Amino acid sequence: SDLVPEFQALWTAAQRRPDRQQRGEVKLTRDGGERTLLVRIAAERLAGELLGFVVTFDDVTELLSAQRAAAWADVARRIAHEIKNPLTPIQLSAERLKRKYQGEVTSDPETFAACTDTIVRQVEDIGRMVDEFSSFARMPQPSIGRENLSNLIREVVVLERSRASDIAIELNLPEGDMMLRCDRRQVSRALTNILKNAAESIESRLVREQADDGTSAPGRIAVSVADGRGQGGDESVAVVIEDNGVGLPEAGRERLTEPYVTTRTKGTGLGLAIVRKIMEDHQGGLRLEDRPGGGARITLVFRDMEETANDGEKDPMKVATGLGLG
Ligand SMILES: Nc1ncnc2c1ncn2[C@@H]1O[C@H](COP(=O)(O)OP(=O)(O)O)[C@@H](O)[C@H]1O
Ligand SMILES: [Mg+2]
């Protein structure tokens, strides 16, 4: 305990009760970082005589942090679920009220329509935020399969076209089907988040220019894919998404992929954090650049992954409890 004063309390206890093994968590702060050790002290005896004490310790810092993250994710998932459940009936009821009684309300039909529309819109916003929040909290280990990347991108683009119908989304895919070993749901999620940001930054530009002088270039997003595999290149597939929106903010660019960093009033700041996590899990990359001529150019770089049988082995909670802690 002269060497490690933090062990003092355990050490005193061990000397007082040499018949019992003492065990406890000890926090150490060295060189500015805090580590948590699991320390055990047991008496060593020979023929009833106390020879000394054996001290063993394990560094459980990472394990505890994984446990905490898993516990937090679990709470977040449950809360998100509880919030989402009532949203659909609220929305359907508001829509039904509007459909059914729109014609019957005579005293102030405008207010009636405005209020029901507000309910529907706000409920949609809550739903989207909760989706983003829970998918960030969830972020399962990717389950890798051989996927048709061309189709996957087409599907995401079709959905986005119907959501932002005033924006022209151009798609440039190489000929033939591109296959990639990846997690299809996560890759769709990443693309959707990037397209959503692009559409939002175009909307911001249009709103701003409307206020300035009323003339605007129409919104345009271009998605193009370059497959560098089998060409002696770096064996990667690059998906480039360009928009003619407001452009990335000048300041604090390197922090845009951190959770909760947003410049939008209704933003969650989770979109790019999710994309970054997905790209890290795919051993790929994410580049945020200016598009020549205005707007942003986002590049996602994918590599073929090893296929996995996703058996939940890597669930941090299971790893932690599997080691018999606590
Ligand atoms: N295509 C884009 N054009 C301009 N800015 C962008 C674009 N994509 C992301 N950003 C910037 O990055 C920030 C973080 O994005 P994101 O993590 O998706 O969170 P959110 O969309 O909720 O703000 C945005 O608030 C915006 O400032
Ligand atoms: Mg976003």
Side-chain angles (χ1 to χ4, degrees):
S1 66
D2 286 343
L3 283 175
V4 194
E6 287 90 343
F7 285 3
Q8 184 67 53
L10 273 182
W11 183 238
T12 311
Q15 280 174 319
R16 198 173 307 134
R17 300 285 309 269
D19 51 318
R20 298 179 51 168
Q21 193 202 62
Q22 299 297 326
R23 189 186 140 105
E25 264 174 33
V26 176
K27 288 199 191 326
L28 291 187
T29 309
R30 297 282 185 278
D31 304 325
E34 190 184 82
R35 312 292 300 178
T36 305
L37 304 183
L38 181 67
V39 182
R40 297 184 199 80
I41 302 181
E44 178 84 350
R45 296 163 181 283
L46 191 64
E49 207 178 319
L50 186 64
L51 293 181
F53 291 91
V54 178
V55 181
T56 54
F57 46 89
D58 294 307
D59 187 341
V60 293
T61 314
E62 251 89 73
L63 212 55
L64 287 179
S65 142
Q67 264 182 330
R68 259 197 309 274
W72 182 85
D74 193 50
V75 172
R77 191 161 53 233
R78 280 164 210 236
I79 292 179
H81 186 74
E82 295 305 320
I83 293 178
K84 271 214 88 154
N85 269 343
L87 289 185
T88 310
I90 293 175
Q91 182 166 13
L92 291 178
S93 303
E95 281 166 355
R96 182 134 177 257
L97 280 179
K98 188 178 171 197
R99 241 194 348 268
K100 222 166 158 203
Y101 297 104
Q102 180 86 289
E104 290 179 32
V105 175
T106 48
S107 56
D108 187 0
E110 288 80 23
T111 306
F112 181 79
C115 289
T116 44
D117 285 345
T118 304
I119 295 174
V120 171
R121 239 194 351 264
Q122 298 290 336
V123 164
E124 273 171 11
D125 283 348
I126 297 175
R128 266 200 294 278
M129 278 199 185
V130 170
D131 272 345
E132 242 170 72
F133 183 68
S134 68
S135 73
F136 186 62
R138 199 174 317 120
M139 292 307 277
Q141 290 287 326
S143 91
I144 308 294
R146 190 161 178 271
E147 307 292 351
N148 186 330
L149 184 65
S150 312
N151 279 347
L152 191 157
I153 294 175
R154 272 188 214 109
E155 281 165 24
V156 173
V157 166
V158 165
L159 268 182
E160 196 59 30
R161 274 187 187 134
S162 67
R163 216 172 47 151
S165 52
D166 47 343
I167 297 175
I169 308 184
E170 199 180 289
L171 182 55
N172 308 303
L173 287 172
E175 260 182 50
D177 281 339
M178 245 181 319
M179 305 304 287
L180 178 75
R181 280 188 295 274
C182 62
D183 182 316
R184 64 170 290 122
R185 287 176 56 196
Q186 293 194 3
V187 172
S188 300
R189 177 117 223 154
L191 287 171
T192 305
N193 286 0
I194 299 291
L195 287 174
K196 184 165 168 258
N197 282 346
E200 281 160 356
S201 94
I202 288 172
E203 275 153 33
S204 308
R205 176 175 65 79
L206 295 180
V207 167
R208 200 178 60 193
E209 290 172 348
Q210 202 73 51
D212 287 354
D213 59 1
T215 58
S216 292
R220 205 184 128 267
I221 298 174
V223 181
S224 31
V225 184
D227 191 346
R229 294 171 301 174
Q231 336 241 314
D234 65 349
E235 297 301 316
S236 67
V237 178
V239 182
V240 183
I241 298 103
E242 294 183 317
D243 65 67
N244 63 352
V246 280
L248 297 164
E250 278 306 323
R253 239 175 229 212
E254 60 296 331
R255 296 199 53 209
L256 292 178
T257 59
E258 288 176 21
Y260 310 116
V261 173
T262 179
T263 60
R264 298 189 302 110
T265 42
K266 273 195 176 181
T268 59
L270 290 177
L272 288 180
I274 292 171
V275 176
R276 181 169 96 176
K277 173 81 167 64
I278 291 173
M279 296 317 295
E280 279 170 2
D281 285 351
H282 280 78
Q283 290 156 33
L286 167 64
R287 273 202 304 275
L288 310 181
E289 296 162 312
D290 292 320
R291 169 180 169 268
R297 172 194 282 162
I298 315 294
T299 308
L300 305 177
V301 180
F302 293 97
R303 267 160 237 291
D304 264 312
M305 301 278 293
E306 297 279 337
E307 278 181 53
T308 53
N310 205 3
D311 49 10
E313 270 295 303
K314 285 183 181 154
D315 185 327
M317 207 58 190
K318 284 189 187 144
V319 172
T321 47
L323 284 173
L325 247 196

